[in-house]
Amino acid sequence: MSEHRRKPPQPEGGGRAAARRAAPQRPGRGAGPARDVPVASHSGPYADPRGHGSRADARRATQRGSGSRGRGGGRQDKRLINYPRSDKDGWQRFVPSWKLVGGTALGFVALITAGAGIGIAAVNTPNPNLAARAQNNVFYWDDGSQMVATGGSMNRQIVGIDKIPKSMQNAVIAAENESFETDKGVDPMGILRAVWNMAKGGSTQGGSTITQQYVKNTYLDSDQTLKRKVTELFISIKLGVSEEKDTILAGYLNTAYYGRDAYGIQAAARAYFGKDCSDLTPSESAFLASVLKGPNLYNPDGGIGPTATPEQNTQRAHARWAWVLDREVAVGRMQKSERDQFKEFPKLVDSEQARSLSGQTGYLVETAKQYVMKVAKIGPEQMARGGYQIRTTFQKPKVDALVKAVEDTRNDFLDEKARPEYDTFVQFGAASVDVKTGAIVALYGGPGMDKKYFSNNANTIGVPVGSTWKPYVLAAAMEYGTQNSGGRGISPESKYQANDLTVINNRDGKPLRDASGQPFRQKNESEYPYGFVTLNEAMEKSINVPFAQLVFDVGHSKVREVAKSTGILEDSMNPNNDASFALGTSTPSAIRMADSYATFAASGTHHEPFSVRKVEKDGKELPGFEPPKEERAMDDSIADNVTKVLRNVVENGTGTKAKKLGRPAAGKTGTTDENKSAWFVGYTPQLSTSVTLFRTDPNSKDKKLISMNGVGGIDSIHGGDIPAAIWTAYMKEALKDAPVKDFPEADKLGVIADGPGAPSPSPSVSVSPSLSASPSPSMSTSPSPTPTKGGGKPCKPWQLDCFSSSGGTTGGSGGATGSPSPTPTPRPGRAGGVTSWGTTTGTSG
């Protein structure tokens, strides 16, 4: 072929193909990454590389190529789990794929299933013969000698399902687990509730089936933890698929706690009805099914805690009993005609437990039990299982002395046969506390649980304390001052109007109003015209009017602060900001009053009352039973000045019967409106004791207090009468081997700030903020008040050292001698309080 016909050679990379190759390529399947090579142009094989095929274009092409990884155009993601997702951009990288979600769910289910299988295989089924066994709780006196062993004697007999009447089976299933015969042993909704409660920090219990409750009963503790709940769940599931329903039901009824120290249906039938369980009637079965809801709250004997009184428990038991019977009809386990036969609540036999705890033993045991459960954080059911060795603070010689003082006085004072309309239903309560530690060394709770009196009068919170409350008002005035003291604590030598039926002003200086809208006038015990008296004299004679006004000048909230700091529980205080608050309408227990006054005896140091020193279980000592740490409640100068005022009550005032003690003592009498209660609370440097006297029918539904007018043949009972006589007799015996000690000298305290309308000399502090207190009045002497004598009712012949019903003494001098106004306390008082008010009738000491 000739040379001129040969096709001319094409430049390298030239032509249409070259143009296509030079154009940006869209990556396709299997395309490799772009390469950084020069691309020829139409101008020839040696075109400038900074043209269309520049290095910048190459870098961009490289970046585009690297961005295609995982999307079919680069290296595949080699992670086991593609999360965050490499095939997505932005927020979409964190959205899991359906494969990931599905795989995770399947894996979780497989893990749970495997874990549940292992858990179910690993747990053992319960043994009712072991679970039903309860041990004794052994209580010891303070000296280490044994007081009593309780429980454990009738909790060992197991009966088969054939011995349990159908009526009992029906009652329990209807009341607690309607689906028992068809469920698989667990309640999914109940489990969810338990998990939810646990997440909120509450109890994990709730909504359990009979199977779950049976499992729970096999444990010897009541820890509400997730681990325990899971274990119970596994056992319940295992039982649900491996045991007959009759076996589970019998196991539950044989291990459940019914109160009265009875575990199991047989023990419960004997404890409440004195018969074998096979002889239970449908009505009796309904009652026992009711008690299973919570023996502490449904046993008519009463339980532990302020809401578990015999009357409250009886009301709950009656209501629950009727509901169980109705429920049996509703779920088809009883005919309506049969239900209509049961109108009367079944009659219970006397508690064997109560009969075994005669005298004061029952009250001592219950007091110690409450303390153990509070400190160890265990419930009544776990306590009833027993096994605890409990060493109490109770001293047998002092308990015996207190019982003797009460019983001797009762025998001399009351004659139920001669005066049945007056002397029946009179109740005594008392408590004695070690000043240095707060240990409860003795108490008197009543005639005895063996005599069907289950309420502990030493721990009752329903009896108003009367004028024994006035020291808290005075202490608050000493610490915080009044509206007339410029914010400084006041002296007990400050004067207040004391005449009967004086109008009381609120913190705005305006008269309180009674129910009819008229100015409220406070009544005293006596109509004697006292005029203006010092607070010291007002306390000595227990005059109401000065303290009814003082509480508004100080502020109710400040009085509450002081009372609370000495150990008075807030829920026992009168919540109203009225005049009667100052006069003792609050209802602390005798234990709390004795402990609170011990704070004054200890110069302002408070110890919480306690009744147990040591607890052992299974050979191990439980933590937390060390004596409570002391706390500073008030300045020692304030406490010592309160003691000085209360010593004057014993020496010259309404508490002169306590002078027979023959050693330094301080105390306060208290008598409430309509003479429904009378108190004496007093102390020495070693021991603080409170005694209360009131009248109520223990078998009545409302347990209302009854007036004691006429009791013992006396027109009106006062705290300085019978309570003071009991106090003195007990303290004389309790302290017979103790050295005689005196109280600390009281520092001069506060400023003289008289109440409104007081005559000259004027208060030592001006209430005007623009004026400072003048030093001259503070050094002047107050006129010495003249002794006053009440013109009350004549004393009875048997009343030694009798005082008149007005509160005035028959022989001692009253008031205080004039002295320079003392310097302010190192802890100056603070203004404060509230302005609300109310109307009241009078109480006195």
Side-chain angles (χ1 to χ4, degrees):
M1 186 177 293
S2 62
E3 187 73 21
H4 66 272
R5 294 183 62 184
R6 185 180 299 169
K7 187 176 182 178
Q10 298 295 324
E12 183 179 353
R16 294 180 182 177
R20 285 195 300 269
R21 286 192 297 270
Q25 297 294 312
R26 180 176 299 174
R29 294 185 180 179
R35 296 178 180 176
D36 190 11
V37 294
V39 180
S41 68
H42 293 288
S43 58
Y46 304 110
D48 190 346
R50 289 171 295 183
H52 295 289
S54 67
R55 293 181 179 177
D57 290 338
R59 283 195 300 271
R60 283 193 290 270
T62 301
Q63 291 170 357
R64 285 194 298 270
S66 64
S68 65
R69 293 177 183 176
R71 287 176 283 188
R75 293 196 305 268
Q76 296 295 325
D77 195 312
K78 295 183 179 180
R79 291 178 296 172
L80 179 63
I81 300 176
N82 183 23
Y83 191 85
R85 297 174 65 181
S86 61
D87 58 337
K88 297 291 183 182
D89 295 321
W91 61 269
Q92 292 180 330
R93 299 177 65 234
F94 299 96
V95 178
S97 66
W98 67 268
K99 292 181 180 180
L100 179 61
V101 172
T104 302
L106 288 174
F108 182 76
V109 170
L111 183 63
I112 293 297
T113 302
I118 295 172
I120 292 172
V123 297
N124 296 318
T125 56
N127 185 344
N129 292 285
L130 296 177
R133 292 180 183 173
Q135 304 176 59
N136 283 327
N137 285 322
V138 184
F139 295 82
Y140 299 90
W141 294 103
D142 184 69
D143 63 3
S145 60
Q146 183 172 319
M147 179 196 303
V148 68
T150 67
S153 60
M154 56 179 181
N155 303 305
R156 302 177 185 273
Q157 187 174 356
I158 303 300
V159 296
I161 193 68
D162 58 317
K163 299 292 185 181
I164 302 174
K166 198 67 177 178
S167 65
M168 185 65 199
Q169 300 177 41
N170 287 333
V172 171
I173 293 173
E176 300 198 20
N177 187 187
E178 177 188 350
S179 63
F180 168 71
E181 293 176 336
T182 58
D183 65 36
K184 299 301 181 183
V186 296
D187 176 8
M189 293 305 298
I191 296 171
L192 291 177
R193 280 194 299 270
V195 173
W196 175 250
N197 289 337
M198 185 198 64
K200 294 190 299 182
S203 170
T204 60
Q205 283 185 320
S208 296
T209 63
I210 286 177
T211 305
Q212 289 174 279
Q213 292 181 65
Y214 169 39
V215 172
K216 180 174 71 70
N217 290 344
T218 64
Y219 286 83
L220 299 180
D221 61 70
S222 57
D223 294 338
Q224 296 305 312
T225 61
L226 180 60
K227 177 182 177 181
R228 170 178 169 151
K229 199 66 182 179
V230 170
T231 303
E232 289 177 6
L233 178 63
F234 286 159
I235 298 176
S236 299
I237 295 173
K238 186 172 185 176
L239 283 178
V241 298
S242 64
E243 293 287 356
E244 297 291 335
K245 289 292 184 179
D246 281 352
T247 302
I248 296 172
L249 183 59
Y252 170 58
L253 294 176
N254 277 313
T255 57
Y257 179 60
Y258 296 79
R260 288 192 173 183
D261 277 352
Y263 276 90
I265 184 62
Q266 174 65 10
R270 301 297 307 176
Y272 286 101
F273 301 109
K275 61 174 65 174
D276 291 332
C277 66
S278 58
D279 298 326
L280 290 171
T281 67
S283 178
E284 293 166 344
S285 295
F287 166 76
L288 292 178
S290 302
V291 173
L292 286 175
K293 185 171 177 62
N296 192 59
L297 296 178
Y298 288 86
N299 176 4
D301 300 338
I304 296 175
T307 62
T309 62
E311 52 270 21
Q312 289 175 298
N313 280 18
T314 298
Q315 292 175 1
R316 281 189 286 261
H318 278 251
R320 180 75 175 176
W321 166 78
W323 179 86
V324 170
L325 290 171
D326 292 338
R327 180 68 177 165
E328 289 186 70
V329 175
V331 300
R333 291 186 174 271
M334 179 183 285
Q335 296 296 321
K336 181 69 165 60
S337 58
E338 184 182 7
R339 165 67 181 93
D340 292 339
Q341 298 175 18
F342 306 116
K343 302 294 185 182
E344 297 293 329
F345 191 75
K347 183 176 178 57
L348 310 181
V349 300
D350 292 341
S351 171
E352 179 67 30
Q353 176 187 10
R355 288 196 297 267
S356 66
L357 300 176
S358 60
Q360 298 307 302
T361 305
Y363 307 120
L364 298 173
V365 166
E366 287 305 303
T367 301
K369 275 185 179 180
Q370 289 192 37
Y371 190 78
V372 171
M373 289 190 292
K374 175 184 175 183
V375 173
K377 297 180 180 178
I378 61 177
E381 296 179 18
Q382 185 175 349
M383 189 76 200
R385 289 184 182 271
Y388 296 95
Q389 310 289 313
I390 301 167
R391 303 186 183 276
T392 73
T393 61
F394 304 126
Q395 299 178 19
K396 191 176 188 304
K398 289 184 171 61
V399 172
D400 292 342
L402 186 54
V403 171
K404 186 176 187 302
V406 172
E407 297 301 334
D408 286 352
T409 304
R410 176 196 290 274
N411 295 335
D412 292 341
F413 174 55
L414 301 178
D415 191 340
E416 296 185 17
K417 293 182 179 180
R419 296 183 296 268
E421 70 275 25
Y422 297 113
D423 289 4
T424 54
F425 307 137
V426 178
Q427 305 294 337
F428 297 82
S432 189
V433 171
D434 187 310
V435 166
K436 294 181 180 179
T437 65
I440 305 171
V441 297
L443 59 80
Y444 184 90
M449 292 183 175
D450 55 320
K451 297 180 179 178
K452 300 183 181 181
Y453 193 87
F454 299 104
S455 295
N456 183 354
N457 291 341
N459 203 32
T460 181
I461 57 172
V463 182
V465 296
S467 293
T468 58
W469 192 261
K470 290 173 182 174
Y472 305 121
V473 183
L474 178 61
M478 290 178 174
E479 180 169 358
Y480 296 102
T482 67
Q483 297 184 129
N484 306 317
S485 71
R488 288 194 279 175
I490 70 170
S491 164
E493 300 307 313
S494 303
K495 296 185 181 66
Y496 269 74
Q497 174 62 256
N499 284 341
D500 189 38
L501 298 177
T502 296
V503 174
I504 305 299
N505 297 325
N506 63 20
R507 284 181 66 81
D508 296 329
K510 298 178 181 179
L512 301 180
R513 299 289 173 177
D514 59 20
S516 64
Q518 297 299 311
F520 169 75
R521 297 178 180 274
Q522 178 61 55
K523 184 173 179 54
N524 289 328
E525 178 75 8
S526 168
E527 297 178 359
Y528 186 86
Y530 294 103
F532 279 84
V533 301
T534 66
L535 294 174
N536 183 50
E537 185 179 354
M539 188 75 75
E540 171 195 317
K541 296 176 172 61
S542 202
I543 309 171
N544 289 334
V545 168
F547 292 98
Q549 183 59 61
L550 182 61
V551 75
F552 285 96
D553 293 349
V554 176
H556 292 72
S557 65
K558 300 305 180 186
V559 178
R560 289 189 178 92
E561 278 187 44
V562 168
K564 186 177 180 180
S565 72
T566 66
I568 301 297
L569 301 179
E570 195 166 5
D571 59 6
S572 69
M573 298 184 198
N574 173 8
N576 301 314
N577 296 327
D578 49 25
S580 68
F581 175 78
L583 310 179
T585 49
S586 297
T587 59
S589 68
I591 292 174
R592 284 287 167 178
M593 287 301 292
D595 176 72
S596 175
Y597 270 46
T599 304
F600 299 134
S603 296
T605 299
H606 174 244
H607 302 84
E608 271 291 295
F610 69 103
S611 57
V612 175
R613 296 189 185 278
K614 183 178 180 181
V615 178
E616 293 181 346
K617 192 175 191 303
D618 300 328
K620 297 180 180 179
E621 184 174 345
L622 273 60
F625 288 93
E626 304 81 12
K629 295 181 180 179
E630 65 179 41
E631 295 180 352
R632 173 58 60 179
M634 64 185 69
D635 227 36
D636 56 356
S637 60
I638 295 172
D640 292 341
N641 272 275
V642 171
T643 295
K644 182 179 180 181
V645 172
L646 297 187
R647 288 188 69 176
N648 187 50
V649 172
V650 172
E651 293 296 324
N652 305 306
T654 58
T656 53
K657 279 187 173 61
K659 290 173 66 174
K660 283 188 172 183
L661 180 61
R663 62 172 70 210
K668 183 69 188 77
T669 58
T671 307
T672 59
D673 185 41
E674 299 182 21
N675 207 204
K676 290 182 177 179
S677 64
W679 289 73
F680 186 78
V681 187
Y683 53 90
T684 67
Q686 299 104 320
L687 209 57
S688 178
T689 302
S690 65
V691 179
T692 182
L693 182 71
F694 58 97
R695 192 178 179 212
T696 185
D697 181 357
N699 298 316
S700 64
K701 292 184 178 180
D702 51 19
K703 302 295 189 297
K704 287 185 178 179
L705 296 178
I706 307 170
S707 174
M708 291 189 293
N709 289 334
V711 169
I714 302 174
D715 292 339
S716 181
I717 302 294
H718 291 77
D721 293 326
I722 304 305
I726 293 172
W727 183 92
T728 305
Y730 161 71
M731 292 287 278
K732 185 176 291 188
E733 180 65 20
L735 295 170
K736 65 180 180 180
D737 297 326
V740 176
K741 291 186 177 181
D742 203 352
F743 295 103
E745 182 92 18
D747 296 333
K748 291 182 178 180
L749 174 71
V751 296
I752 294 179
D754 299 337
S760 298
S762 59
S764 61
V765 177
S766 171
V767 296
S768 172
S770 61
L771 299 177
S772 59
S774 171
S776 300
S778 65
M779 296 304 296
S780 64
T781 59
S782 303
S784 177
T786 47
T788 60
K789 295 178 182 176
K793 299 170 184 175
C795 297
K796 297 292 181 181
W798 68 275
Q799 295 176 276
L800 302 177
D801 296 330
C802 177
F803 58 92
S804 67
S805 63
S806 68
T809 62
T810 58
S813 62
T817 58
S819 60
S821 180
T823 56
T825 174
R827 247 177 101 189
R830 299 178 294 281
V834 294
T835 59
S836 302
W837 53 268
T839 60
T840 181
T841 55
T843 62
S844 74

